[in-house]
Amino acid sequence: MSEKNLVVGSGFSGATIANLLADKLGEEVLVIDKKSHIAGNCFDYRDENGIMIHKYGSHVFHTKSEKVWNYIRQFTDFNTYMHKVLGVLNGIETHIPFNFNTLYDVFPSTFAVKLEEKLLDVFQLNAKVPILEFLKQDDDDLKFLANYVYEKIFLYYTIKQWGITPKEVDDAVTSRIPVYLSKDNRYSQDRFQGIPLEGYTKTIERMLDLPNIEVRLNTSYNDVKYGNFKRIFYTGSIDEFFDYKYGQLQYRSVNFKLETHNMEHYQSNAVVNYPCNYDFTRIHEYKYYLNDRSDKTVIAKEYSESFEPGKNERYYPIPTNENTELYKKYFEDAKSLHNVYFLGRLGDYMYYDMDKAILRALELFEEITKTN
Ligand code: UDP
């Protein structure tokens, strides 16, 4: 019996489980990745202008979990960046998620005062209300407001991002960005947040930097699957593992069009959303994250598209009933496999943030070490 573990994929899920197996159990681990780099979709690199580029779109670390925070800080320090998002709503640049500051930016102040009072009659200060919940208003002014927020922030953005309306997509998706009865403009109120000082790639490189971990890039699961492994941890898409025997799980993909501009800054914030206009969803300006100094700036316009194998990358599982049912079939098959574990956004077919991917791997490790 081999004593070696195989970890397929070197994003946060794969890197966490590999690190724990090697560090805590002293076991041998082979980590493979079909890409030419580690770190999966968290991959970042410094370009010729010294700007840290998030190749697969903005990644801002945030978590409520002290356990995750303590774990990840073994490998990196974070700056004190707190993510805020601006949105252009019919020409007005304002705050997203919709909050009291947004209210005063988009409406004349007398009307905004009236709406604020009515909102505080119905909801508690600091309440977070998912848009589909927010739409259920009796008062005419609040009904008007809810429809405004729905249409100007959610409707067209969600159609661009998911190809379906906010009412068709799973509630959990739009609930990520609830209306916030507050003047706090931050995108997340999690206690711990920031950007790794030397980037995500460096962080993951450190997680994998142990003598008993071997990393092989440009290597797919098919290249090694007949090897003899003690356990397999698969962070690729679960349908691909089973050769799509029940059919393909759908994903949304994203295309980032990079532009370099000869100016200090292109926009006033790291991310500006364009919910109502244009065919891209948002523009990222990367130098904000680590406060990179350069007389140039790099932006990425984000275009959403469907995932097609061989053409683009998987980014977002699409939690429709049909996909959930299909996933369950693969999950049932997965349960019957001995010592093969699925994890990560693609392995679990779950819209995890980075901290949730790490937590899942930490918990899986605890489960395995408890039973073994
Ligand atoms: N969303 C929206 N308008 C916005 C921002 C978000 O409609 O301006 C909706 C959209 O459906 C999106 C979801 O909220 O997919 C989650 O947004 P988030 O910013 O968390 O997405 P991510 O950064 O993970 O792509």
Side-chain angles (χ1 to χ4, degrees):
M1 177 70 186
S2 167
E3 281 307 301
K4 194 178 246 183
N5 296 276
L6 174 66
V7 174
V8 180
S10 63
F12 267 123
S13 305
T16 303
I17 198 78
N19 171 266
L20 293 169
L21 292 162
D23 187 34
K24 305 277 179 238
L25 301 184
E27 295 190 4
E28 296 285 318
V29 187
L30 170 62
V31 178
I32 60 164
D33 203 302
K34 65 180 176 189
K35 288 183 172 152
S36 57
H37 58 72
I38 58 165
N41 285 5
C42 301
F43 178 71
D44 54 10
Y45 63 96
R46 282 203 185 275
D47 75 350
E48 63 278 13
N49 308 304
I51 300 171
M52 187 70 92
I53 308 292
H54 296 190
K55 179 164 184 199
Y56 303 91
S58 288
H59 281 71
V60 180
F61 197 88
H62 60 95
T63 188
K64 289 182 178 36
S65 164
E66 205 153 356
K67 183 170 169 170
V68 169
W69 186 243
N70 289 339
Y71 175 73
I72 195 67
R73 277 174 51 256
Q74 297 176 82
F75 311 101
T76 183
D77 286 328
F78 286 82
N79 66 10
T80 53
Y81 176 84
M82 293 202 189
H83 196 42
K84 291 177 186 165
V85 170
L86 296 179
V88 180
L89 311 186
N90 289 357
I92 305 170
E93 192 174 271
T94 185
H95 306 279
I96 289 181
F98 191 94
N99 63 30
F100 286 138
N101 293 322
T102 323
L103 187 70
Y104 282 88
D105 280 348
V106 298
F107 296 122
S109 59
T110 43
F111 189 44
V113 168
K114 185 176 170 195
L115 287 171
E116 182 175 356
E117 280 168 11
K118 287 193 173 192
L119 282 169
L120 290 173
D121 282 342
V122 180
F123 302 102
Q124 300 250 330
L125 184 67
N126 291 329
K128 289 184 172 176
V129 190
I131 183 63
L132 298 180
E133 207 42 53
F134 195 63
L135 280 173
K136 298 174 191 159
Q137 303 298 327
D138 299 324
D139 177 90
D140 281 346
D141 287 330
L142 292 186
K143 221 180 266 174
F144 164 82
L145 174 64
N147 285 329
Y148 177 94
V149 176
Y150 179 76
E151 195 190 306
K152 298 284 188 265
I153 295 185
F154 287 94
L155 181 60
Y156 303 111
Y157 188 105
T158 302
I159 291 173
K160 280 191 272 187
Q161 166 69 23
W162 297 94
I164 47 180
T165 69
K167 290 177 183 165
E168 290 164 319
V169 84
D170 190 280
D171 292 7
V173 170
T174 50
S175 301
R176 289 167 60 91
I177 313 300
V179 170
Y180 189 24
L181 284 278
S182 156
K183 288 193 173 171
D184 180 346
N185 290 329
R186 290 173 302 168
Y187 212 52
S188 160
Q189 280 67 45
D190 286 354
R191 180 167 159 217
F192 307 110
Q193 33 188 310
I195 307 287
L197 286 182
E198 292 164 88
Y200 292 96
T201 308
K202 190 75 198 168
T203 305
I204 290 179
E205 193 182 296
R206 290 206 188 98
M207 294 168 82
L208 297 173
D209 184 22
L210 285 165
N212 42 348
I213 297 183
E214 181 195 347
V215 179
R216 267 186 231 162
L217 299 175
N218 303 304
T219 304
S220 69
Y221 178 59
N222 283 337
D223 298 332
V224 298
K225 71 178 181 188
Y226 298 111
N228 187 13
F229 297 104
K230 181 175 182 184
R231 308 182 199 87
I232 296 174
F233 297 88
Y234 192 85
T235 73
S237 192
I238 190 167
D239 55 347
E240 191 173 349
F241 180 92
F242 289 107
D243 287 327
Y244 306 104
K245 66 192 225 194
Y246 301 122
Q248 238 191 70
L249 285 165
Q250 293 174 302
Y251 289 88
R252 288 301 282 178
S253 186
V254 193
N255 183 5
F256 292 98
K257 294 207 172 130
L258 288 186
E259 295 173 13
T260 303
H261 291 269
N262 275 316
M263 51 175 68
E264 182 90 16
H265 285 114
Y266 177 88
Q267 59 191 23
S268 60
N269 198 52
V271 175
V272 178
N273 288 5
Y274 288 83
C276 322
N277 306 99
Y278 305 102
D279 44 359
F280 47 81
T281 51
R282 51 190 170 185
I283 300 180
H284 309 254
E285 185 168 2
Y286 293 120
K287 69 193 301 190
Y288 280 108
Y289 291 125
L290 288 170
N291 205 11
D292 296 324
R293 302 283 166 200
S294 169
D295 50 10
K296 298 200 169 133
T297 192
V298 176
I299 62 152
K301 291 184 176 149
E302 177 172 341
Y303 296 83
S304 180
E305 56 192 28
S306 10
F307 164 71
E308 288 172 45
K311 182 186 153 207
N312 49 21
E313 300 287 333
R314 296 176 174 96
Y315 278 77
Y316 299 92
I318 309 178
T320 56
N321 288 343
E322 196 185 314
N323 284 327
T324 308
E325 287 312 307
L326 184 55
Y327 167 73
K328 275 189 200 153
K329 289 190 188 171
Y330 288 116
F331 180 70
E332 282 308 311
D333 281 14
K335 281 202 295 202
S336 61
L337 293 174
H338 187 56
N339 285 340
V340 181
Y341 303 90
F342 292 84
L343 66 163
R345 252 197 201 199
L346 312 184
D348 287 335
Y349 200 63
M350 288 280 288
Y351 190 172
Y352 290 136
D353 287 331
M354 291 179 279
D355 66 322
K356 294 292 177 340
I358 293 171
L359 186 63
R360 162 83 173 114
L362 292 174
E363 289 176 352
L364 177 62
F365 180 74
E366 281 167 16
E367 209 178 288
I368 290 166
T369 44
K370 223 183 286 164
T371 50
N372 278 10

